């Protein structure tokens, strides 16, 4: 360091938002650049316009087929993302619109695709919210089709002879779905937030990740050595020998879970898994999860024009329950709406779908859909040995909780609870839990509603952070309501996968933590090194902080075990 007056040491640590804990070091490799915008020049005289229009369909099919081939090599959410992107590439409206522009304006196929996709993307951005997030997917598909048409390299994760730190403005779903932890040591993006697909996939793969680091592409040029701390949200330039040694130790450390979550003084905290289908349940069981804290049932309904039959639902639910005989499985009823529109249930024309008819509210419009789902859940529970609990998303009032519990009881489901995602539910946790048997805090949506910040909007990543003291105070209020009624409160949002934040949640009174299976050993290790009284002290420090950054810094400073474990 230079101590001469007037001279400042160069900045070595850049601050972003940590979304997947862990330490990793390596050279920077920037995401492959998208193809250049094709010229708008017209086809030469005598050119076969019909043949050029046909090239659009052929290129789109080639892209879709490639994505489907890649999807067959992965599982879970990664497969879903690739399959969804493949469907978008085959979208008849996109292909037909592009071909029409080729014919009408004598454009090249590449230019026709560029303009057609640009129009769709701009329409989605104008809609805002979840639909604006889909604009990035359209742009990704456009770039892939244009690359095929122009014979240029497909954009995406680069190939390097050595492992690297991937740096990008943001990652498209198809990029995140193909991330290989053996090649990608860490991820840094300029955009994105704690609940973006980049963050969720990074956590599920165990890849340290920092998002919302402004100017990442300029600050982190190709080949520069960096150290990424996904827990603290920092990127260190030109790390020293000690930094590299810490990163190597973290990478080589193998942690396992003995199947019993607890603090250092033996206070039990059940560590459960979030799953979305039978493959996810199998992975959770293999990881030793104590049960399932969030079974997302949307996979039965997505990409369907009609409601699935009770028999189809029952069969699908049984495949999940079969992996956890004798253990708890919390089934969340259909959370349609907002980022999961369904043609037979939701209104895609809603001006603000995140505040519209979603979750349990869809039962107001179509009560039979909920009734059929509860019938299927009850049938699956009767056929399997899992301990089935059921909860409803987007509960906001005591009356809603009471009605849902009664509907479950009518089907013989005697463990009925509620998701706490709406601030009203947290503030009314006492009377709500006088009716419901348990509550599970969905920190992703709770943060969105408390901070009035779209959780999919990267420019508001600093607000979309579950470390926000206002969010933690509502978790505390929910736990207080649970204690009044002797009802357990869990957390099933992404916050549970952060080992430091998990300590805070336990200190606030949370009884169970549900997360991506890969995060369980890390969370278990930190809890096992921290007694309950220390959890409570750190929770108080976080709640009393004035910002998310201060809350995170206070807790991490009070948990030296994080550095010891490379978290």
């Amino acid at each position: 360091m230079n101590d001469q007056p007037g001279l400042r040491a160069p900045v070595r640590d850049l601050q972003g938002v940590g979304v997947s804990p862990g330490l990793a070091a390596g050279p920077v490799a920037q995401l492959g650049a998208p193809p250049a915008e094709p010229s708008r020049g017209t086809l030469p005289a005598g050119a076969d316009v019909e043949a050029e229009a046909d090239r659009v369909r052929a290129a789109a099919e080639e892209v879709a087929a490639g994505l489907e081939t890649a999807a067959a090599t992965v599982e879970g959410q990664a497969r879903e993302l690739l399959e969804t992107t493949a469907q978008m590439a085959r979208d008849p409206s996109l292909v037909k619109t592009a071909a029409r522009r080729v014919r009408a304006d004598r454009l090249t196929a590449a230019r026709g695709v560029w303009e057609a996709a640009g129009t769709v993307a701009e329409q989605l951005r104008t809609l805002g919210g979840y639909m604006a997030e889909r604009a990035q997917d359209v742009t990704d598909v456009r770039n892939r089709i244009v690359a095929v048409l122009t014979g240029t390299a497909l954009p995406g994760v680069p190939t390097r002879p050595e492992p690297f730190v991937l740096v990008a403005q943001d990652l498209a779903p198809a990029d995140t779905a193909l991330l290989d932890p053996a090649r990608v040591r860490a991820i840094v993006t300029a955009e994105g937030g704690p609940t973006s697909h980049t963050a969720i996939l990074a956590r599920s793969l165990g890849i340290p990740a920092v998002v919302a680091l402004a100017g990442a592409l300029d600050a982190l040029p190709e080949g520069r050595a960096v150290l990424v701390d996904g827990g603290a949200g920092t990127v260190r330039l030109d790390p020293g020998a000690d930094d590299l040694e810490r990163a190597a130790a973290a990478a080589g450390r193998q942690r396992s879970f003995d199947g019993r979550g607890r603090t250092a003084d033996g206070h039990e905290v059940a560590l459960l898994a979030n799953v979305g289908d039978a493959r996810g349940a199998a992975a959770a069981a293999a990881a030793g999860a104590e049960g399932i804290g969030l079974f997302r049932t949307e996979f039965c309904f997505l990409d369907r024009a009609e409601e699935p039959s009770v028999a189809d639902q029952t069969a699908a639910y049984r495949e999940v329950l079969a992996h956890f005989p004798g253990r708890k499985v919390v089934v969340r009823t259909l959370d349609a709406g907002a980022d999961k529109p369904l043609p037979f249930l939701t209104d895609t024309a809603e001006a603000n779908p995140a505040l519209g008819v979603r979750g349990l509210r869809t039962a107001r419009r179509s009560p039979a859909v909920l009734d059929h789902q509860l019938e299927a859940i009850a049938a699956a529970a009767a056929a399997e040995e899992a301990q089935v609990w059921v909860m409803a998303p987007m509960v906001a009032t005591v009356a809603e909780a009471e009605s849902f519990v009664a509907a479950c009881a009518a089907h013989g489901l005697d463990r009925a609870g509620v998701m706490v995602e709406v601030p009203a539910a947290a503030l009314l946790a006492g009377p709500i839990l006088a009716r419901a048997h348990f509550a599970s805090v969905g920190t992703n949506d709770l943060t969105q509603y408390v901070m009035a910040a779209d959780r999919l909007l990267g420019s508001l990543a600093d607000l979309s952070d579950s470390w926000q003291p206002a969010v933690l105070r509502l978790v505390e209020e929910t736990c207080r309501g649970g204690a009044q009624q002797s009802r357990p409160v869990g957390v099933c949002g992404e916050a549970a996968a952060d080992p430091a934040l998990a300590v805070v949640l336990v200190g606030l009174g949370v009884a169970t933590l549900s997360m991506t299976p890969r995060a369980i050993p890390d969370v278990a290790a930190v809890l096992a090194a921290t007694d309950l009284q220390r959890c409570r002290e750190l929770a108080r420090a976080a709640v009393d902080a004035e910002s998310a950054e201060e809350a995170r810094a206070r807790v991490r400073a009070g948990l030296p075990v994080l550095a010891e474990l490379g978290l």
Side-chain angles (χ1 to χ4, degrees):
M1 179 177 292
N2 195 324
D3 295 324
Q4 297 180 44
L7 294 180
R8 307 176 76 178
V11 175
R12 293 188 62 217
D13 286 349
L14 306 177
Q15 185 69 52
V17 177
V19 295
S20 182
L23 280 177
V28 167
Q30 294 195 355
L31 190 72
E37 179 177 351
S39 167
R40 205 181 189 282
T42 57
L43 293 168
D48 189 337
V49 176
E50 282 302 319
E52 189 70 8
D54 288 343
R55 291 183 65 218
V56 173
R57 182 199 56 75
E61 180 59 34
E62 181 177 335
V63 168
L67 290 166
E68 287 176 339
T69 299
T73 67
V74 295
E75 296 184 347
Q77 190 169 12
R79 173 175 287 188
E80 292 173 11
L81 286 171
L82 288 169
E83 289 175 343
T84 299
T85 307
Q87 290 171 2
M88 193 172 291
R90 282 202 181 95
D91 181 5
S93 63
L94 175 62
V95 173
K96 288 179 181 178
T97 301
R100 191 181 308 121
R101 288 181 183 243
V102 170
R103 296 187 183 98
D105 300 330
R106 296 185 61 82
L107 300 176
T108 64
R111 184 67 198 187
V113 169
W114 189 275
E115 292 190 3
T119 299
V120 173
E122 185 55 36
Q123 290 171 342
L124 292 172
R125 291 189 190 97
T126 301
L127 291 173
Y130 167 76
M131 302 310 291
E133 182 78 3
R134 305 265 50 92
Q136 182 193 18
D137 302 345
V138 174
T139 300
D140 177 47
V141 167
R142 177 202 70 187
N143 291 341
R144 291 172 182 274
I145 297 175
V146 169
V148 169
L149 288 167
T150 57
T152 55
L154 286 173
V157 180
T159 300
R160 294 286 188 276
E162 61 180 341
F164 54 86
V165 173
L166 180 64
V167 176
Q169 188 70 17
D170 200 1
L171 297 178
D175 295 325
T176 59
L178 292 174
L179 291 175
D180 180 359
R183 293 193 302 133
V184 180
R185 286 182 172 167
I187 302 167
V188 181
T189 63
E191 299 179 359
T195 57
S196 65
H197 54 257
T198 299
I200 294 171
L201 261 295
R203 280 190 289 269
S204 71
L205 294 170
I207 300 175
V210 173
V211 302
L213 196 154
L217 291 173
D218 293 330
L220 305 173
E222 191 82 18
R224 187 162 191 179
V226 296
L227 172 75
V228 178
D229 187 333
T234 59
V235 178
R236 173 161 294 181
L237 306 176
D238 307 318
D242 290 347
D243 295 324
L244 297 177
E245 185 176 333
R246 286 193 299 126
R253 190 177 288 116
Q254 296 291 325
R255 271 187 285 278
S256 59
F257 176 52
D258 66 6
R260 182 178 161 228
R262 57 198 180 278
T263 60
D265 52 340
H267 174 73
E268 293 194 357
V269 182
L271 300 184
L272 313 172
N274 297 339
V275 307
D277 54 26
R279 290 192 301 270
E290 296 181 66
I292 294 175
L294 172 62
F295 170 23
R296 306 180 185 94
T297 56
E298 288 76 43
F299 78 106
C300 281
F301 295 81
L302 297 179
D303 301 323
R304 284 178 178 258
E306 299 177 342
E307 174 193 1
S309 69
V310 170
D312 285 347
Q313 291 185 58
T314 301
Y317 302 155
R318 287 190 63 183
E319 289 182 3
V320 172
L321 301 182
H323 289 285
F324 285 88
R327 287 182 282 175
K328 180 167 75 173
V329 175
V330 182
V331 183
R332 183 181 69 186
T333 56
L334 181 60
D335 189 16
D339 60 339
K340 295 179 283 288
L342 294 175
F344 59 86
L345 190 60
T346 58
D347 180 6
T348 57
E350 285 181 347
N352 192 340
L355 298 179
V357 180
R358 58 169 296 200
L360 182 62
R361 297 172 182 178
T362 59
R364 300 182 182 191
R365 177 182 296 162
S366 305
V369 174
L370 175 62
D371 188 64
H372 294 158
Q373 185 172 29
L374 292 177
E375 181 183 349
I377 293 170
E384 300 293 338
E385 298 178 8
Q387 300 174 15
V388 176
W389 298 28
V390 188
M391 64 181 178
M394 288 297 291
V395 170
T397 68
V398 175
E400 287 175 341
E402 192 167 52
S403 175
F404 179 72
V405 171
C408 289
H411 288 281
L413 297 166
D414 58 2
R415 300 296 294 178
V418 299
M419 289 281 288
V420 174
E421 303 155 289
V422 181
L427 294 170
L428 290 172
I432 283 177
L433 285 170
R435 280 79 170 174
H437 300 102
F438 67 97
S440 187
V441 181
T443 51
N444 302 358
D445 269 323
L446 181 61
T447 301
Q448 171 176 242
Y449 295 129
V450 171
M451 302 306 296
D454 187 338
R455 65 189 182 95
L456 298 176
L457 193 57
S459 60
L460 298 180
D462 59 321
L463 297 178
S464 302
D465 188 340
S466 296
W467 281 96
Q468 290 286 351
V471 176
L472 297 178
R473 290 186 183 203
L474 285 181
V475 175
E476 182 179 37
E477 190 65 24
T478 304
C479 291
R480 185 178 291 116
Q484 289 173 358
Q485 306 297 340
S486 298
R487 302 294 199 191
V489 173
V491 167
C492 62
E494 293 297 324
D498 180 338
L501 191 45
V503 167
V504 171
L505 296 173
V506 170
L508 293 175
V510 169
T512 64
L513 297 168
S514 191
M515 65 203 76
T516 178
R518 191 179 285 269
I520 291 176
D522 288 342
V523 171
V526 173
L527 287 177
T530 312
D531 63 40
L532 182 59
Q533 181 57 34
R534 187 59 177 155
C535 291
R536 289 170 175 162
E537 292 169 354
L538 292 172
R540 192 78 263 141
V543 168
D544 290 342
E546 296 183 355
S547 68
E549 295 78 10
E550 182 184 348
R552 181 186 286 106
R554 284 183 175 188
V555 173
R556 291 188 65 83
L559 285 173
V561 66
L562 294 173
E564 296 169 12
L565 296 175
L567 298 172

